[in-house]
Amino acid sequence: MNKQILLTLLILSTFCTPIAYGQKPKSKLTVHESIQFETDKIFDKLVQIRRDFHENPELAGKEKRTQEVIKKHLLDLGLQVETEIYGYGVIGILKGDKKGKNIAWRADMDALPNDFPDPSDFKSKVKGVQHGCGHDVHMAVAIGIAEVLAKNKKSLRGTVYFIFQPEEETFIGAKRIAENKKFEQFKLDEIYSLHVTALPAGQIMVKANEMYAYQKEINIRFKNALSGEEIKELTSKIRNSLVRSNNGSKPWEIQSIIDPKIGLANPSTIFKDYLIADEKFRTYSKNDSFHMNAELYETDADKIKNIIPSVEQIIKDSNYGSQLLSVSFIKENPTVLNPPNLTRNSINTLDTIYGKGFITPDYGQVPYFNDDFAYFQQKIPGVYFLLGGSNFEKGITAMNHAPNFEVDEECIRTGVRTFSSLLFERGK
Ligand SMILES: [Zn+2]
Ligand SMILES: [Zn+2]
């Protein structure tokens, strides 16, 4: 390229760029305008980064390549990089030029053991493994925030820790990182995260307290095996007594979460105050006893303690009372719990920057899903958001883990600019 053309291009680019940002020259942009400007500038690159993760998914505990790729991006941005916290986790540390708090952003890294037909042009190259939960998007968003905040380092207060966490799907990674001594030394003040899901792209949703229903697995042990008929009869007795929903609604039909009348965004959503139980219990014989297992989703923490006594009572009152050995929970994971004050502060911060109503209030609790981010929240005050990744006009439905899972990549832009702004403000 000769000098003349280069000069023309430089003039053109300095002339062209500010137009999209209120006719202001770049030096006059406010921090949040600059965040939007930088986000738009790297958006195409972030899409490529996401597609690379999508083509090369790795299961929980095997995120070796993913770790290498993330490490390289973070080092290129000039961040300090720490590994050996747990598994293939990576932490990127960005120090602002001004004093402030220690704020963390968490992205999960692992893919799913799926083999669904993938409609995208950038299909998984690994047979039987797919990014069917959207963690590829989460990593691209986190790398994007790191770049945008690195570009605003001069005005950034405090230190931002980008936690790339392995093994989310197995519910192991967050717990192990959170209890690691090296991690504790970071003395984080606050931690934030998101999950992409089947809301319209561009929508961000949050609520105080539980984002999901409490996920439990109940185990009922008998002395002897029950016949098929007996299992059916007992299952229906237990379900009739436990299952609860709002005015006979069907919160187990999860696709309704986007319905404007009964979905999460409506104050009278059906996704509150319910208990869902598997229709069929899983049965097997082990160690000389017969087991019946079922997954349960309960929205109310207080009501969980009634479940085991009432199941025991139902069985004692049935013909199988003398056969009963025990009733217990074999899965007792914590659930994502957003502290009310910090949630309110985060909503206010973002509504102030991007306009009132920018954050959509969430009135329900999503069944079937959970996130081990809950373990970070047990140690560090933190808020977890839902990021819409669907585009119904384009036929894209981001229902995590479903065979038709797809993401409108525009959500990467929304995620990067919104949460760059939030982390920037929270560091003060
Ligand atoms: Zn998942
Ligand atoms: Zn996930």
Side-chain angles (χ1 to χ4, degrees), residues 132 176 342 398:
R176 295 288 166 79
L342 201 56

mmCIF file of all heavy atoms in Angstrom, residues 132 176 342 398:
data_model
loop_
_atom_site.group_PDB
_atom_site.id
_atom_site.type_symbol
_atom_site.label_atom_id
_atom_site.label_comp_id
_atom_site.label_asym_id
_atom_site.label_seq_id
_atom_site.Cartn_x
_atom_site.Cartn_y
_atom_site.Cartn_z
ATOM 1 N N GLY A 132 -24.023 -26.897 22.873
ATOM 2 C CA GLY A 132 -25.490 -26.839 22.888
ATOM 3 C C GLY A 132 -26.050 -26.069 24.060
ATOM 4 O O GLY A 132 -27.262 -26.038 24.262
ATOM 5 N N ARG A 176 -14.889 -25.752 42.772
ATOM 6 C CA ARG A 176 -13.441 -25.971 42.943
ATOM 7 C C ARG A 176 -12.670 -24.657 42.839
ATOM 8 O O ARG A 176 -11.718 -24.436 43.579
ATOM 9 C CB ARG A 176 -12.922 -26.966 41.901
ATOM 10 C CG ARG A 176 -13.489 -28.347 42.056
ATOM 11 C CD ARG A 176 -12.877 -29.036 43.295
ATOM 12 N NE ARG A 176 -13.628 -30.222 43.663
ATOM 13 C CZ ARG A 176 -13.500 -31.404 43.040
ATOM 14 N NH1 ARG A 176 -12.634 -31.541 42.065
ATOM 15 N NH2 ARG A 176 -14.216 -32.429 43.419
ATOM 16 N N LEU A 342 -27.769 -5.744 45.472
ATOM 17 C CA LEU A 342 -26.829 -5.667 44.360
ATOM 18 C C LEU A 342 -27.569 -5.781 43.017
ATOM 19 O O LEU A 342 -27.196 -5.144 42.031
ATOM 20 C CB LEU A 342 -25.791 -6.790 44.495
ATOM 21 C CG LEU A 342 -24.480 -6.598 43.752
ATOM 22 C CD1 LEU A 342 -23.810 -5.303 44.149
ATOM 23 C CD2 LEU A 342 -23.537 -7.779 44.006
ATOM 24 N N ALA A 398 -33.057 -20.153 20.929
ATOM 25 C CA ALA A 398 -31.917 -20.486 21.778
ATOM 26 C C ALA A 398 -32.360 -21.238 23.027
ATOM 27 O O ALA A 398 -32.143 -20.796 24.136
ATOM 28 C CB ALA A 398 -31.156 -19.217 22.147
#
